[in-house]
């Protein structure tokens, strides 16, 4: 097998590791590309290509995350990972771990960990690497990796997200939610929301966004039931999609450009959290991005017109 063939066979795994460490599609793709350049530029073939490439992409991702964390401290408003529509890596034996670990709730929980703890936790708990492989990947002893994993598990334990297991149930609830949104059905929305539901947006200061987290079924339903019908009047369309392994949707303007991605956390037959990603920098990998400010102005002008 040629170098190119070996690398392409492992590319899905490499991207999945990098994305979970970084929470960024663009940065993960860059890390994978740099991994290829180092592999291609090596004059010797490693004993295990998988171990070499996994170690390389992990170290690169850790380095990028260390600098990214400084930028995130200065981020305007809540920070969310970049939306991911499909995870390229599949492993039937690890399907549950893979699905849960790519959710926005899990990725946000991982932000509690140091870069090394995050890498060790993911390689062990999600991808089932042994401690020898993990030690090589993060350049630490096996004993140190075990300690890093203990600390990571302790940080992650209490906050581990729980989701409704039945995918059909989640999908059906999401369909009802987005239909109610489009129709401005406030009562219908309230029936689908948990009493303590939260609505949170990530605009990064680059798109119109809520001034704060909106909490409570009544407040969230009334806000959404007013805002989204106005978007429908401007020919903004809803495209139901699975986003980060959870029910969600992409909203597009009349020209098909991405306006925002919405992700729902569902538990016990109710929507617990609604996350909206509006920052255009986080949507570009999904396609051309809409001018959210222009759409916001149109909405405001429409509201001022006499009925």
């Amino acid at each position: 097998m040629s170098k190119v063939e070996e690398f392409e066979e492992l590319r899905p795994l490499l991207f999945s590791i990098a994305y979970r460490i970084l929470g960024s599609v663009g940065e993960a793709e860059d890390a994978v590309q740099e991994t290829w350049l180092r592999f291609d530029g090596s004059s010797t073939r490693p004993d295990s290509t998988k171990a070499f490439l996994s170690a390389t992409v992990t170290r690169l991702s850790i380095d990028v995350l260390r600098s990214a964390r400084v930028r995130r401290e200065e981020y305007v408003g809540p920070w969310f990972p970049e939306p991911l529509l499909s995870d390229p890596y599949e492993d039937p034996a690890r399907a549950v771990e893979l699905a849960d670990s790519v959710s926005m709730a899990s990725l946000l929980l991982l932000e509690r960990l140091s870069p090394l703890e995050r890498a060790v936790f993911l390689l062990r708990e999600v991808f089932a690497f042994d401690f020898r492989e993990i030690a090589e990947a993060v350049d630490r002893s096996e004993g140190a990796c075990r300690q890093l994993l203990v600390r990571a598990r302790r940080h992650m334990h209490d906050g581990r997200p729980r989701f409704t297991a039945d995918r059909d149930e989640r999908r059906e609830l999401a369909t009802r939610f987005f239909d109610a949104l489009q129709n401005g059905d406030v009562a219908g929305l309230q029936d689908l929301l948990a009493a303590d539901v939260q609505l949170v947006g990530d605009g990064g200061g680059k798109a119109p966004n809520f001034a704060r987290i909106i909490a409570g079924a009544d407040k969230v339903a009334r806000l959404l039931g007013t805002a989204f019908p106005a978007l429908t009047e401007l020919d903004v369309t809803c495209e139901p999609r699975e986003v980060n392994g959870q029910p969600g949707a992409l909203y597009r303007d009349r020209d098909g450009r991405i306006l925002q991605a919405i992700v729902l956390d569902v538990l016990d037959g109710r929507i617990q959290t609604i996350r909206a990603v509006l920052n255009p920098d986080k949507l570009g990998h999904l396609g051309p991005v809409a001018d959210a400010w222009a759409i916001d102005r149109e909405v405001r002008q429409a509201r001022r017109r006499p009925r």
Side-chain angles (χ1 to χ4, degrees):
M1 186 181 292
S2 69
K3 269 190 170 183
V4 172
E5 290 170 330
E6 282 189 288
F7 183 82
E8 289 303 323
E9 186 175 271
L10 290 164
R11 181 189 287 273
L13 171 63
L14 303 179
F15 174 84
S16 292
I17 292 171
Y19 176 77
R20 284 166 172 79
I21 293 176
L22 294 167
S24 165
V25 173
E27 289 176 345
E29 289 175 341
D30 289 345
V32 171
Q33 180 61 23
E34 179 61 27
T35 298
W36 159 251
L37 293 175
R38 297 192 182 190
F39 180 49
D40 186 47
S42 174
S43 58
T44 60
R45 297 289 281 267
D47 293 335
S48 169
T49 301
K50 177 184 176 182
F52 174 82
L53 294 177
S54 299
T56 302
V57 81
T58 297
R59 292 178 187 176
L60 289 168
S61 298
I62 288 172
D63 288 343
V64 173
L65 181 60
R66 283 175 173 146
S67 61
R69 287 169 76 93
V70 176
R71 296 194 303 273
R72 289 174 194 176
E73 290 175 359
E74 302 172 351
Y75 195 80
V76 177
W79 178 92
F80 293 160
E82 292 180 8
L84 184 69
L85 299 186
S86 62
D87 185 2
Y89 179 67
E90 296 180 359
D91 179 356
R94 310 290 298 174
V96 173
E97 291 87 347
L98 287 168
D100 285 352
S101 67
V102 82
S103 72
M104 286 212 174
S106 290
L107 292 172
L108 289 169
L109 193 58
L110 285 168
E111 290 290 302
R112 299 181 181 185
L113 308 183
S114 72
L116 276 177
E117 288 171 343
R118 185 166 181 161
V120 169
F121 181 85
L122 289 167
L123 291 177
R124 182 63 180 173
E125 299 290 288
V126 177
F127 297 100
F129 280 43
D130 63 39
F131 280 103
R132 179 185 57 78
E133 294 171 315
I134 296 170
E136 180 181 348
V138 301
D139 196 24
R140 294 293 189 275
S141 69
E142 290 187 34
C145 290
R146 292 179 187 277
Q147 288 301 312
L148 286 165
L149 181 62
V150 169
R151 291 204 300 269
R153 283 174 172 166
R154 188 165 58 242
H155 286 304
M156 295 288 287
H157 177 71
D158 293 336
R160 288 298 290 273
R162 298 178 297 130
F163 303 111
T164 299
D166 190 306
R167 297 172 73 89
D168 290 336
E169 180 183 339
R170 290 186 305 177
R171 190 178 299 112
E172 188 272 337
L173 189 148
T175 298
R176 291 166 57 200
F177 173 80
F178 288 114
D179 285 346
L181 265 190
Q182 182 172 343
N183 296 325
D185 181 359
V186 174
L189 287 170
Q190 287 178 318
D191 287 342
L192 301 173
L193 303 176
D196 57 351
V197 64
Q198 290 192 336
L199 171 63
V200 193
D202 174 354
K206 299 183 178 183
N209 196 14
F210 322 115
R212 54 186 172 79
I213 295 174
I214 312 299
D218 182 65
K219 290 181 180 178
V220 171
R222 291 184 183 280
L223 174 61
L224 294 178
T226 301
F228 278 78
L231 293 176
T232 301
E233 291 177 9
L234 298 178
D235 299 323
V236 171
T237 57
C238 173
E239 177 186 323
R241 297 290 298 267
E242 192 169 85
V243 182
N244 286 77
Q246 302 301 314
L250 300 180
Y251 277 79
R252 299 180 183 270
D253 70 6
R254 58 174 62 93
D255 297 315
R257 297 173 297 189
I258 306 292
L259 175 63
Q260 63 180 327
I262 290 183
V263 192
L264 309 177
D265 287 351
V266 177
L267 179 65
D268 297 331
R270 291 289 186 273
I271 296 169
Q272 307 289 322
T273 309
I274 305 165
R275 295 186 177 88
V277 181
L278 305 104
N279 185 340
D281 294 345
K282 297 185 176 184
L283 301 173
H285 64 284
L286 302 175
V289 179
D291 185 342
W293 293 109
I295 292 175
D296 184 63
R297 287 193 296 272
E298 286 190 67
V299 169
R300 293 175 184 276
Q301 289 169 2
R303 287 177 175 173
R304 287 198 294 266
R305 295 190 193 109
R307 298 287 180 175

